[in-house]
Amino acid sequence: MNVKKSLVGTFVLLMGLGLSSFTDDDRNFQISKNLDLLNSIFKELDMFYVDSLDVEKVIQSSVDGMLSSTDPYTEYYPEEEESTLKEMTTGKYGGIGAAIRYYEAKDRIAIIEPTEGMPAAEAGVKAGDIILSVGGKEMVRGDMKPQDFSSKVSEALRGEPGTSFVLKVLRPLKNDSTVMEFKVTRKSIRTNPIPYFGMVRDSIGYLTLTGFTENCAKDFKKALISLKQQGAKSLIVDLRDNGGGSLTEAIDIVNYFVPKNQEILVTKGKLKQAQNSYKTQNEPLDERIPLVVLVNGSSASASEIVSGSLQDLDRAVIIGSRTFGKGLVQTIRPLPYNATLKVTTSKYYIPSGRCIQAIDYAKKNADGSVARIPDSLTTVFHTAAGREVRDGGGIRPDIEVKGDKIPNIVFYLMNDDLIFDYATQYCLEHPTLSSIGELKITDADYEAFKKLVKSRNFTYDRQSEKMLKTLKEIAEFEGYMEGASEEFKALEKKLSHNLDRDLDYFSKQIKSYLAEEIATRYFYQRGRAMERLKEDEDLEKAIEILKDPVRYHQILSAPEAKTTDEVAAAAVSSETKR
């Protein structure tokens, strides 16, 4: 990017944010004064500072400083990052269709997962391949940070659809490795938003939606029609770990289950153009099919529009854990010199009238931190049938299922590529796998994994040891150590690091992550989704509810009015507890 253009463009951006929209004289003066000061400070620094300034870096720091006072979703994209923004909103890019990551053991970039049916997979590239060169250019890190190195390789792999290049990789073999070359032709890559759908039990259909990218509602419609043709009489929609995306795609999906002209969303912002009402535009595909939506703490934005709207309209039972709580809407604003600003312009309100935004970014603490709105400050709203729901904290499921937390050891096993490396080793020893049902991590397999872990001298941080050390320091500082020294010694002995014990104690969770990684090697994202369903508490609870029509309708019905005697009894009970 031209430095002078960047500088001018940035100050045009700064001025454009304020001067044209304010009528209050004092506010206009404050804006003009501070922009003038900012401009003058930069000129003085550029002229007199002892070292030469990196203009791009200084201006970017100014922009970052401004945006840090807003929210995490308001972001500036310079011209060279336009493709990143486009991919985020459309799910499309030109490339080979493969996820990559820095691989510390080789100080190179590894193929993590080729996308099914895309150029890399079609050419024969596999997960575990280490990238040596792209189009004749060797891919080495040098003094780059791993993240920058990954970006460099990613940029080299991407390009105009139809262009070809030779990809050279180092492929691990059972007892060695070999260099392989593949001719790969780039194409327009679109991430599949529905990696798996199918029948999970009797007449119960299931589909997982991973993102609300462009045209995902059409993919959803095809999957829904296919499931109904397969005999689905009820449906489970999995929005867990779906971070959101297009607002209009979300409304179109809700429309498949609710009548035409139903208001789904109202947006409210500072400017008139940010205030809109969104209604369903078409006749529904199926207004009566029993429906369960699965959510968790990573279900956000458009996922919350779908789950929250269906909850407010008493159209679906929501199962899982409380969602993320993002009730903000972003708009793409063009800037000079092909730059872009993604800016939060409004909040959205679902059919009950509630906004589920969990954090008020306008009320930051002195240190810049923010906190979720406490439940005690949230407001009660009501669904169409009269059920109580609340604002200010995401979507609370109708039935909460508390899943297992990821053990600390699993995080480190994944971070050190041990689960990834074992999956590579497993696939070398098992060239084919006929079905997901055939995949099972046996005791012998797990022993082989443990052997790999020990051979790498694996270590990890144990939170219990850290907390005990902190407690010991506090006890010594406050003078309690002398009387508690024996107890501390006993506790230290019990909490001493024991890798064998930890690998055995958390074997169930570790095996599940191993199986997911291995399933992805054979059946891509479809395999990962299917493997996750084998022991899924949320799914089992959804099936239980859908197989019990009476309970399903009770959950979605208005609470029964209490009789005078019941109200009196409740009052007496309350007084007794006091």
Side-chain angles (χ1 to χ4, degrees):
M1 183 191 298
N2 184 283
V3 168
K4 290 184 178 179
K5 283 187 176 182
S6 172
L7 181 58
V8 173
T10 302
F11 283 108
V12 169
L13 160 63
L14 292 171
M15 296 180 72
L17 287 174
L19 294 178
S20 63
S21 304
F22 296 93
T23 57
D24 183 87
D25 289 340
D26 290 337
R27 185 166 174 75
N28 278 336
F29 172 71
Q30 289 297 324
I31 293 170
S32 298
K33 170 187 170 182
N34 284 286
L35 287 175
D36 194 22
L37 282 170
L38 181 61
N39 189 27
S40 297
I41 289 169
F42 177 81
K43 287 181 177 178
E44 294 295 315
L45 281 173
D46 191 43
M47 185 174 293
F48 294 110
Y49 185 65
V50 64
D51 295 320
S52 296
L53 295 179
D54 183 331
V55 177
E56 292 283 351
K57 188 175 181 180
V58 171
I59 296 301
Q60 184 63 52
S61 297
S62 301
V63 173
D64 292 342
M66 278 193 297
L67 300 187
S68 68
S69 65
T70 58
D71 61 46
Y73 315 110
T74 297
E75 298 177 291
Y76 167 64
Y77 292 86
E79 181 179 14
E80 57 267 25
E81 293 182 21
E82 181 185 6
S83 60
T84 301
L85 182 62
K86 185 177 180 182
E87 181 184 342
M88 186 191 309
T89 54
T90 66
K92 297 178 183 177
Y93 64 94
I96 68 170
I100 61 172
R101 186 178 73 219
Y102 175 67
Y103 186 71
E104 188 175 5
K106 296 288 186 181
D107 197 27
R108 294 271 192 170
I109 300 298
I111 299 289
I112 299 303
E113 182 188 337
T115 303
E116 187 173 13
M118 291 295 111
E122 294 293 306
V125 178
K126 295 183 179 297
D129 287 347
I130 309 298
I131 296 175
L132 300 178
S133 67
V134 177
K137 294 181 181 178
E138 190 174 1
M139 295 291 116
V140 291
R141 183 164 74 95
D143 58 358
M144 285 185 287
K145 295 179 180 178
Q147 184 177 354
D148 294 334
F149 184 32
S150 295
S151 297
K152 175 189 174 182
V153 177
S154 177
E155 186 177 342
L157 293 172
R158 298 188 180 199
E160 287 297 314
T163 57
S164 300
F165 67 96
V166 174
L167 177 66
K168 183 187 289 187
V169 303
L170 182 70
R171 173 164 294 176
L173 298 179
K174 192 167 183 179
N175 298 309
D176 198 2
S177 57
T178 186
V179 174
M180 303 183 73
E181 292 186 351
F182 302 94
K183 183 178 180 181
V184 186
T185 301
R186 299 180 181 94
K187 66 183 290 188
S188 180
I189 307 298
R190 177 176 180 264
T191 305
N192 182 9
I194 303 180
Y196 173 71
F197 67 90
M199 304 298 290
V200 289
R201 196 75 54 83
D202 301 327
S203 58
I204 300 175
Y206 166 93
L207 68 83
T208 179
L209 181 68
T210 58
F212 290 84
T213 51
E214 189 178 286
N215 293 322
C216 74
K218 293 181 180 178
D219 296 306
F220 190 103
K221 181 179 181 179
K222 291 177 183 176
L224 176 56
I225 291 173
S226 176
L227 287 170
K228 287 169 67 70
Q229 290 173 343
Q230 294 176 50
K233 297 292 190 294
S234 57
L235 180 67
I236 300 168
V237 177
D238 194 343
L239 298 181
R240 290 174 296 180
D241 300 319
N242 184 325
S246 169
L247 179 153
T248 54
E249 296 291 333
I251 293 170
D252 286 345
I253 288 174
V254 173
N255 194 175
Y256 295 146
F257 306 104
V258 303
K260 184 178 180 180
N261 293 322
Q262 169 68 53
E263 187 174 72
I264 301 300
L265 206 68
V266 172
T267 60
K268 299 177 184 179
K270 185 164 59 178
L271 301 179
K272 187 176 180 180
Q273 57 262 41
Q275 301 177 21
N276 291 294
S277 171
Y278 296 85
K279 296 182 178 180
T280 53
Q281 302 294 313
N282 306 299
E283 295 299 330
L285 282 179
D286 196 325
E287 198 177 340
R288 296 183 179 277
I289 188 171
L291 185 63
V292 165
V293 179
L294 304 182
V295 296
N296 64 8
S298 296
S299 303
S301 189
S303 290
E304 294 173 299
I305 291 174
V306 171
S307 56
S309 297
L310 293 172
Q311 185 181 56
D312 282 359
L313 297 171
D314 305 295
R315 183 61 189 85
V317 173
I318 313 302
I319 293 178
S321 53
R322 188 189 297 193
T323 62
F324 183 81
K326 181 176 181 289
L328 306 175
V329 180
Q330 285 71 50
T331 302
I332 304 300
R333 301 289 302 168
L335 298 174
Y337 309 105
N338 298 317
T340 306
L341 183 69
K342 178 166 70 74
V343 57
T344 299
T345 53
S346 58
K347 295 181 179 179
Y348 69 75
Y349 300 79
I350 49 181
S352 65
R354 58 178 169 151
C355 176
I356 51 82
Q357 176 62 25
I359 297 174
D360 185 353
Y361 291 101
K363 297 178 180 177
K364 294 187 178 182
N365 300 321
D367 62 357
S369 62
V370 292
R372 291 178 70 93
I373 299 170
D375 288 347
S376 59
L377 297 181
T378 58
T379 305
V380 172
F381 289 79
H382 293 88
T383 70
R387 298 185 296 142
E388 285 191 0
V389 289
R390 287 185 172 271
D391 67 355
I395 305 300
R396 295 166 174 80
D398 300 307
I399 298 176
E400 188 169 0
V401 180
K402 293 185 178 180
D404 294 334
K405 292 183 178 179
I406 300 176
N408 194 39
I409 189 173
V410 172
F411 172 82
Y412 285 94
L413 287 169
M414 294 177 70
N415 192 59
D416 287 2
D417 290 316
L418 285 162
I419 288 178
F420 178 79
D421 286 348
Y422 179 74
T424 301
Q425 177 181 307
Y426 183 96
C427 293
L428 289 171
E429 295 173 357
H430 304 79
T432 61
L433 189 68
S434 61
S435 69
I436 287 294
E438 189 181 300
L439 176 58
K440 187 178 186 323
I441 305 299
T442 65
D443 290 342
D445 293 331
Y446 195 63
E447 285 301 317
F449 172 71
K450 288 167 64 175
K451 183 178 180 181
L452 173 65
V453 172
K454 292 174 184 177
S455 72
R456 299 283 184 86
N457 298 316
F458 171 71
T459 60
Y460 68 100
D461 291 335
R462 287 168 53 91
Q463 296 301 312
S464 55
E465 288 181 350
K466 285 186 174 181
M467 295 300 291
L468 179 60
K469 182 180 179 182
T470 301
L471 181 60
K472 190 174 179 180
E473 290 172 352
I474 293 172
E476 289 175 342
F477 178 75
E478 295 182 345
Y480 291 105
M481 192 61 196
E482 186 175 344
S485 59
E486 292 303 317
E487 287 83 352
F488 270 104
K489 287 179 182 178
L491 194 54
E492 283 176 345
K493 186 176 181 180
K494 288 185 177 180
L495 296 179
S496 62
H497 188 87
N498 187 324
L499 182 59
D500 277 313
R501 176 263 179 200
D502 293 344
L503 288 171
D504 289 338
Y505 185 82
F506 294 110
S507 61
K508 180 181 178 182
Q509 293 95 323
I510 295 171
K511 282 181 179 180
S512 69
Y513 281 92
L514 286 170
E516 282 183 26
E517 181 64 37
I518 291 169
T520 308
R521 302 299 180 94
Y522 295 102
F523 304 105
Y524 306 95
Q525 280 298 311
R526 172 170 48 95
R528 184 185 295 275
M530 294 171 71
E531 181 60 33
R532 282 181 176 176
L533 297 180
K534 285 184 177 179
E535 294 185 15
D536 189 327
E537 292 182 34
D538 291 0
L539 179 71
E540 292 303 318
K541 179 59 69 174
I543 292 171
E544 177 188 320
I545 295 300
L546 289 173
K547 293 179 74 172
D548 187 346
V550 174
R551 189 179 177 197
Y552 174 85
H553 289 292
Q554 281 178 342
I555 294 170
L556 297 177
S557 299
E560 294 181 8
K562 293 182 179 179
T563 65
T564 305
D565 291 341
E566 287 174 327
V567 173
V572 170
S573 175
S574 177
E575 288 296 326
T576 302
K577 289 178 181 177
R578 290 181 190 175

